[in-house]
């Protein structure tokens, strides 16, 4: 048996070397375990003997069709048949199932009709083996058997051979068939381009209508590595013509490729160098098209690339294989939230809450959120509001082979000046203190000397490759050195032996409330430790808990004084104080009572979260209009959809017109606002002609509001 098998294999090798084609057919029985369960082992043993007999008989009967044919059992119900087609075969490989397998199945069932009372179905997969320069025959046959096996276990693909041929063309002439398109990723705070994701494209493809089908198919036929290599090469060589000012290149990497020794050999790094790029310019985007089974090995591979300077992004978060375990195990620098969570997030409370949770979660673990697949203005507005760091999607720009302009509407939605001003007032950056840095090779006695020379410095950071890996507290260092053998044990050792490897690190965009909450959740021994402020784990400075508590207390006092928690505008207490001050000055002034028409209907239809968005939008309109006014203007939020503006009586009508115009423009960016309109009730108060009181002002404004609401639509009245 073994001698015969060896002779047959040598015959196949010789034919391959002579450039003959070998067809490899993989056969098994559909649901064989169920058949065995129904009929028992002895009957199934006879079934397998009969299928071997039928295959052997069929090959002998048709031997004049082939230059050579042979079959072997792979154990159980698995069989492999090898054909070297001759000139007499009147069908090609795409017809093999119909012409060979189906008739074989019929004859086989005829053989076993006395053994079983049902039809036994065969499942097949067929591959083609052709000689390749530089590849040994045994490797080529092994690869063909594996390909046939995978096809046997998968759904039938009528385009299989056409797709396989197209991949062959891609590998042989990538410059002709393969191109790299680039889609920008922008910073949510500034609207500036942060980087580009490279996306493979086959412009003239007839078999891969969706590029996403290319990679699973390439993996099926054992060509994933060469295809990914070519896509990566095209992306890197094309990128210098696209990028400006050190914008990052996001490269999609399949986990299976990342742990391949050939990928780790340095070819990618060499290619980057040839294009004037470095690993620090690149983000490896882990596309989890297949599950990561060995996180330990994969994590070691990631550490290898991190040490070279690459950043890591985890793609498709919230979908597919991208589980929270992947985040916990891989410690990515970026989380790319999948389009499935972004689509309709503006109107879906669950998606809203999930994205908000991811944003908060990302701050805690020191990475950044990229919202993928933003396609509408409403989605854009919502992801910005929820605090994502970066945005990507058709609304920003579609993938292109050349650098294209960002959608102008993006800048308008971001309202950069207002956002930066807001960030300056509320950001943790306003409280940052300097953080001295030492690397992991620094000796303990050097850090001790620094602390003695700087008695007011109580914390230093420890870095490795510019990334923070720990901190050293002044008191803890001196406490360790003050033990009986402390100086002897530690002085000549490097600082990592004593450093705290788990300090609280937050991104520089983290809201104060989140920082405060995280700080207070720490254990008692760490409760008053400093908070490290970083940008992608690169330290910026530190914040003391004392300063944080002081700032939060000041903010709480502001809220207690009457600020509305939704819009941040002065509430009823401050509104009443403002009106009283104007009345006490005995001056003439103007007041506009602002109310949204049909807001309850809108709120019931789209939900309270979208209702809040509409109210915030109106508050921004009022603030912008007041900022553009030549006179000092006060804007307050009475509650719900009611606002009040106090300004000069001379500016009142002009202010109302400006508000209506801006409101109409802003509504174009908000879902369902065709049912919303704003009513402006203007009241000029002349204290010289009448004895006004706050109550009288309120009553008169309410009367005018009824009149203007009766008009309907966007309208105003001034009395």
């Amino acid at each position: 048996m073994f001698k015969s098998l060896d002779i047959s294999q040598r015959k196949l090798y010789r034919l391959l070397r002579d450039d003959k084609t070998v067809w490899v057919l993989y056969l098994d029985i559909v649901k064989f375990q169920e058949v065995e369960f129904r009929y028992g082992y002895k009957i199934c043993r006879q079934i397998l003997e009969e299928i071997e007999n039928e295959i052997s008989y069929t090959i002998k009967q048709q031997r004049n069709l082939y230059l050579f044919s042979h079959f072997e059992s792979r154990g159980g119900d698995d069989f492999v048949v090898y054909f070297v087609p001759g000139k007499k075969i009147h069908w090609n490989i795409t017809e093999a199932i119909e012409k060979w397998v189906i008739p074989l199945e019929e004859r086989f069932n005829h053989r076993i009709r006395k053994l079983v009372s049902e039809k036994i179905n065969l499942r097949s997969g067929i591959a083609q083996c052709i000689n390749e320069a530089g590849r040994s025959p045994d490797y080529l046959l092994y690869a063909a058997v594996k390909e046939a096996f995978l096809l046997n276990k998968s759904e039938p693909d009528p385009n299989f051979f056409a797709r396989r041929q197209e991949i062959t063309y891609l590998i042989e002439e990538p410059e002709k068939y393969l191109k790299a398109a680039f889609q920008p990723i922008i910073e949510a705070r500034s609207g500036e381009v942060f980087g580009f994701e490279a996306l493979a494209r086959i412009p003239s493809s007839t078999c891969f209508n969706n590029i996403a089908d290319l990679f699973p198919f390439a993996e099926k036929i054992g060509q994933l590595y060469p295809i990914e290599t070519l896509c990566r090469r095209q992306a890197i060589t094309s990128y210098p013509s696209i990028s400006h000012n050190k914008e990052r290149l996001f490269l999609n990497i399949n986990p299976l490729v990342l742990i391949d020794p050939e990928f780790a050999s340095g070819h990618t790094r060499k290619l980057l160098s040839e294009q004037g790029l470095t690993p620090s310019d690149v983000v490896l985007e882990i596309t989890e098209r297949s599950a990561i089974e060995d996180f330990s090995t994969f994590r070691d591979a990631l550490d290898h690339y991190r040490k070279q300077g690459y950043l890591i992004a985890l793609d498709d978060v919230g979908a597919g294989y991208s589980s929270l375990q992947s985040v916990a195990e891989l410690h990515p620098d970026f989380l790319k939230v999948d389009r499935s969570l972004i689509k309709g997030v503006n109107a879906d409370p669950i998606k809203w809450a999930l994205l908000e949770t991811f944003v908060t979660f990302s701050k805690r673990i020191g990475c950044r959120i990229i919202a993928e697949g933003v396609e509408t203005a409403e989605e854009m507005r919502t992801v910005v509001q929820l605090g994502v760091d970066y945005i990507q999607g058709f609304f920003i720009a579609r993938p292109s082979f050349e650098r294209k302009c960002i959608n102008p509407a993006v800048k308008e939605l971001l309202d950069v000046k207002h956002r930066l001003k807001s960030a300056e007032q509320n950001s943790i950056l306003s409280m940052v203190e300097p953080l001295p840095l030492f690397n992991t090779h620094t000796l303990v006695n050097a850090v001790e000397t620094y602390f003695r020379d700087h008695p007011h410095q109580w914390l230093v950071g420890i870095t490795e490759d510019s990334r923070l890996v720990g901190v050293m507290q002044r008191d803890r260092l001196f406490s360790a050195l003050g033990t009986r053998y402390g100086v002897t044990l530690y002085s000549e050792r490097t600082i990592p032996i004593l450093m705290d490897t788990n300090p609280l690190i937050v991104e520089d965009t983290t809201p104060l409330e989140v920082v405060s909450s995280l700080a207070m959740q720490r254990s008692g021994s760490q409760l008053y430790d400093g908070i490290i402020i970083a940008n992608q784990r690169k330290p910026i400075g530190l914040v003391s808990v004392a300063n944080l508590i002081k700032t939060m207390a000041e903010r709480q006092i502001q809220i207690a004084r009457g600020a509305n928690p939704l819009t941040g505008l002065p509430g009823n207490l401050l509104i009443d104080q403002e009106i009283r001050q104007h009345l006490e000055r005995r001056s003439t002034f103007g007041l506009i009572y602002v109310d949204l028409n049909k807001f309850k209907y809108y709120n019931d239809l789209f939900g309270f979260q979208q209702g809040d968005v509409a109210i915030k939008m109106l508050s921004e309109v009022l603030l912008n209009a007041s900022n553009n006014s030549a006179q000092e203007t006060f804007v307050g939020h009475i509650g719900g959809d009611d606002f009040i503006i106090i300004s000069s009586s001379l500016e009142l009508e002009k202010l109302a017109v400006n508000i209506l115009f801006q409101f109409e423009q802003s509504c174009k960016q908000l879902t369902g606002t065709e049912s919303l309109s704003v009513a402006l009730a203007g009241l000029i108060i002349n204290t010289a002609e009448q004895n006004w009181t706050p109550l009288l002002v309120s009553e008169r404004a309410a009367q005018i509001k009824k009149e203007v609401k009766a008009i309907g639509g966007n309208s105003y009245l001034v009395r």
Side-chain angles (χ1 to χ4, degrees):
M1 174 68 181
F2 289 104
K3 184 177 180 181
S4 173
L5 178 63
D6 187 55
I7 293 172
S8 298
Q9 290 288 1
R10 289 204 300 270
K11 177 75 171 177
L12 286 171
Y13 293 165
R14 186 168 64 253
L15 288 167
L16 267 179
R17 282 192 290 265
D18 291 340
D19 293 326
K20 303 299 183 183
T21 299
V22 179
W23 296 351
V24 180
L25 176 66
Y26 200 104
L27 289 173
D28 70 354
I29 295 175
V30 176
K31 298 181 179 178
F32 184 66
Q33 287 181 326
E34 295 181 13
V35 175
E36 186 175 13
F37 177 78
R38 287 193 292 271
Y39 296 100
Y41 171 77
K42 290 184 178 180
I43 295 295
C44 283
R45 183 63 260 172
Q46 294 179 60
I47 290 173
L48 294 177
E49 289 175 357
E50 290 299 337
I51 194 171
E52 286 192 39
N53 292 336
E54 182 55 46
I55 292 173
S56 180
Y57 174 79
T58 302
I59 288 176
K60 288 179 181 178
Q61 288 295 105
Q62 298 179 351
R63 58 181 175 269
N64 65 314
L65 299 178
Y66 318 110
L67 298 178
F68 180 72
S69 57
H70 164 69
F71 90 96
E72 61 190 38
S73 172
R74 286 287 171 126
D77 64 322
D78 287 33
F79 301 89
V80 178
V81 186
Y82 302 90
F83 305 105
V84 181
K87 294 181 180 180
K88 294 182 179 181
I89 288 186
H90 58 279
W91 34 270
N92 58 40
I93 190 170
T94 60
E95 300 172 300
I97 306 299
E98 178 185 353
K99 301 291 186 180
W100 203 91
V101 177
I102 294 176
L104 173 80
E105 183 181 84
E106 292 176 356
R107 292 191 297 271
F108 161 65
N109 274 280
H110 184 75
R111 281 176 175 268
I112 63 171
R113 66 184 185 276
K114 294 181 180 180
L115 298 175
V116 297
S117 58
E118 62 183 283
K119 181 180 180 181
I120 302 298
N121 296 311
L122 298 180
R123 182 170 50 194
S124 57
I126 190 165
Q128 186 170 261
C129 185
I130 301 173
N131 190 30
E132 294 181 26
R135 299 282 190 179
S136 64
D138 60 334
Y139 174 86
L140 293 171
L141 277 176
Y142 167 78
V145 171
K146 182 179 179 181
E147 182 179 320
F149 169 80
L150 291 171
L151 290 171
N152 172 281
K153 304 304 180 185
S154 61
E155 293 296 322
D157 181 3
N159 298 318
F160 174 81
F161 291 98
R163 288 184 168 187
R164 198 183 195 286
Q165 186 63 53
E166 188 159 301
I167 282 187
T168 301
Y169 293 149
L170 284 178
I171 294 173
E172 291 176 351
E173 298 182 79
E175 298 297 329
K176 180 178 179 181
Y177 294 100
L178 188 64
K179 294 190 71 175
F182 298 89
Q183 187 174 32
I185 300 170
I186 66 166
E187 295 183 0
R189 286 187 294 172
S190 66
E192 299 299 324
V193 174
F194 173 72
F196 289 84
E197 179 181 358
L199 301 164
R201 293 291 183 264
I202 314 173
S204 59
S205 175
T206 57
C207 300
F208 296 102
N209 296 326
N210 187 338
I211 194 66
D213 296 336
L214 172 66
F215 299 98
F217 186 85
E219 182 177 348
K220 180 189 293 187
I221 65 173
Q223 298 294 333
L224 178 62
Y225 179 79
I227 288 295
E228 288 233 7
T229 300
L230 292 172
C231 290
R232 194 160 52 250
R233 182 182 301 163
Q234 288 292 85
I236 293 172
T237 55
S238 302
Y239 192 61
S241 64
I242 295 289
S243 67
H244 297 163
N245 303 322
K246 285 291 186 179
E247 292 162 345
R248 307 269 186 177
L249 170 60
F250 283 70
L251 288 177
N252 290 295
I253 303 290
N254 188 292
L256 298 177
V257 171
L258 199 60
I259 59 177
D260 191 300
E262 290 188 54
F263 179 79
S265 63
H267 291 161
T268 299
R269 189 168 186 174
K270 180 181 178 183
L271 187 58
L272 287 170
S273 179
E274 291 172 356
Q275 300 301 321
L277 300 170
T278 66
S280 62
D281 298 321
V282 176
V283 179
L284 299 179
E285 190 170 322
I286 309 303
T287 56
E288 291 193 89
R289 288 188 281 266
S290 56
I292 300 171
E293 297 179 354
D294 185 354
F295 275 103
S296 177
T297 301
F298 192 71
R299 194 166 53 244
D300 291 342
L302 283 187
D303 289 341
H304 169 75
Y305 300 114
R306 277 199 170 102
K307 289 177 181 178
Q308 295 181 43
Y310 295 101
L311 294 174
I312 306 298
L314 188 62
D315 197 14
D316 304 325
V317 171
Y321 290 109
S322 289
S323 63
L324 291 179
Q325 184 187 5
S326 300
V327 180
E329 294 281 354
L330 305 182
H331 306 160
D333 302 287
F334 302 88
L335 296 178
K336 296 193 75 174
V337 178
D338 187 71
R339 164 69 184 158
S340 61
L341 287 183
I342 300 300
K343 183 178 181 181
V345 66
N346 52 292
D348 189 323
I350 294 178
K351 290 182 178 180
W352 181 300
L354 280 171
L355 182 56
E356 188 177 42
T357 301
F358 273 124
V359 170
T360 303
F361 172 65
S362 72
K363 308 301 182 188
R364 181 65 182 92
I365 65 173
C367 73
R368 294 197 168 194
I369 291 285
I370 302 174
E372 273 190 305
V374 174
E375 295 186 358
T376 67
E378 291 79 11
E379 291 169 359
M380 172 81 177
R381 191 187 299 275
T382 301
V383 299
V384 171
Q385 178 186 351
L386 292 178
V388 303
D389 302 290
Y390 304 100
I391 306 168
Q392 178 182 1
F394 287 175
F395 186 77
I396 310 301
R398 289 178 176 271
S400 173
F401 300 122
E402 300 174 352
R403 188 181 182 109
K404 299 287 187 179
C405 293
I406 301 298
N407 180 1
V410 169
K411 289 282 187 179
E412 297 173 9
L413 281 176
L414 290 177
D415 191 11
V416 177
K417 292 181 180 178
H418 175 70
R419 287 176 56 79
L420 291 179
K421 181 179 178 182
S422 174
E424 289 169 3
Q425 293 173 346
N426 300 321
S427 172
I428 194 72
L429 289 174
S430 61
M431 304 183 325
V432 166
E433 303 173 27
L435 176 67
L437 299 174
F438 295 87
N439 64 44
T440 50
H441 303 296
T442 305
L443 297 180
V444 169
N445 58 21
V447 179
E448 177 197 12
T449 300
Y450 177 85
F451 276 134
R452 294 193 185 281
D453 293 342
H454 301 82
H456 298 294
Q457 189 66 44
W458 48 279
L459 182 75
V460 297
I462 312 301
T463 63
E464 187 173 273
D465 297 329
S466 301
R467 293 166 63 84
L468 193 80
V469 294
V471 298
M472 190 68 247
Q473 301 275 359
R474 177 191 187 89
D475 292 345
R476 290 178 188 171
L477 174 63
F478 287 143
S479 176
L481 293 175
T483 58
R484 184 174 182 180
Y485 302 106
V487 174
T488 304
L489 284 173
Y490 301 122
S491 285
E492 296 301 319
R493 307 283 293 277
T494 54
I495 196 65
I497 195 172
L498 291 175
M499 73 180 184
D500 177 7
T501 58
N502 190 34
L504 175 56
I505 304 174
V506 299
E507 284 291 301
D508 54 350
T509 55
T510 309
L512 287 176
E513 292 84 357
V514 175
V515 177
S516 177
S517 175
L518 294 173
M520 293 302 106
Q521 290 172 18
R522 294 181 294 181
S523 64
S525 62
Q526 293 182 310
L527 192 59
Y528 295 102
D529 288 354
I531 302 158
I532 308 302
I533 311 302
N535 184 303
Q536 297 183 84
R537 297 287 293 195
K538 293 182 179 179
I540 295 173
L542 65 90
V543 169
S544 68
V545 172
N547 279 343
L548 180 63
I549 293 174
K550 179 182 176 182
T551 303
M552 289 301 299
E554 290 173 352
R555 295 191 65 183
Q556 291 300 319
I557 291 171
Q558 283 183 333
I559 293 174
R561 285 175 176 171
N564 185 283
L566 177 61
T567 61
L569 294 175
N572 289 329
L573 179 62
L574 294 179
I575 292 171
D576 185 66
Q577 290 178 359
E578 188 73 16
I579 292 174
R580 288 182 183 278
Q581 288 174 6
H582 277 81
L583 294 177
E584 288 170 1
R585 287 198 291 265
R586 309 296 295 176
S587 58
T588 300
F589 64 97
L591 177 148
I592 299 178
Y593 194 117
V594 183
D595 183 46
L596 280 174
N597 296 320
K598 298 183 180 180
F599 175 74
K600 185 179 184 305
Y601 169 78
Y602 181 87
N603 199 57
D604 291 343
L605 182 63
F606 293 100
F608 72 92
Q609 290 180 329
Q610 191 64 17
D612 285 352
V613 172
I615 290 173
K616 288 181 180 179
M617 180 268 287
L618 178 56
S619 72
E620 291 175 2
V621 166
L622 300 179
L623 282 171
N624 288 336
S626 66
N627 290 336
N628 293 330
S629 175
Q631 302 294 323
E632 184 177 347
T633 303
F634 172 89
V635 181
H637 189 174
I638 297 171
D641 61 318
D642 291 349
F643 295 79
I644 197 165
I645 297 178
I646 301 172
S647 186
S648 165
S649 58
L650 301 175
E651 288 280 313
L652 210 59
E653 190 160 348
K654 181 179 177 182
L655 188 59
V657 171
N658 192 9
I659 291 170
L660 294 183
F661 174 79
Q662 290 196 39
F663 181 78
E664 289 176 356
Q665 298 300 310
S666 296
C667 279
K668 295 176 182 178
Q669 309 297 329
L670 201 63
T671 299
T673 49
E674 57 273 4
S675 63
L676 280 181
S677 59
V678 65
L680 306 179
L683 175 63
I684 295 177
I685 301 166
N686 189 340
T687 55
E689 296 178 355
Q690 187 174 347
N691 187 21
W692 289 88
T693 65
L695 179 59
L696 182 58
V697 169
S698 177
E699 291 175 351
R700 290 294 300 277
Q703 291 172 3
I704 301 171
K705 185 183 79 166
K706 288 181 181 179
E707 293 179 40
V708 73
K709 286 181 74 71
I711 297 173
N714 292 319
S715 53
Y716 75 93
L717 282 177
V718 177
R719 294 280 191 252

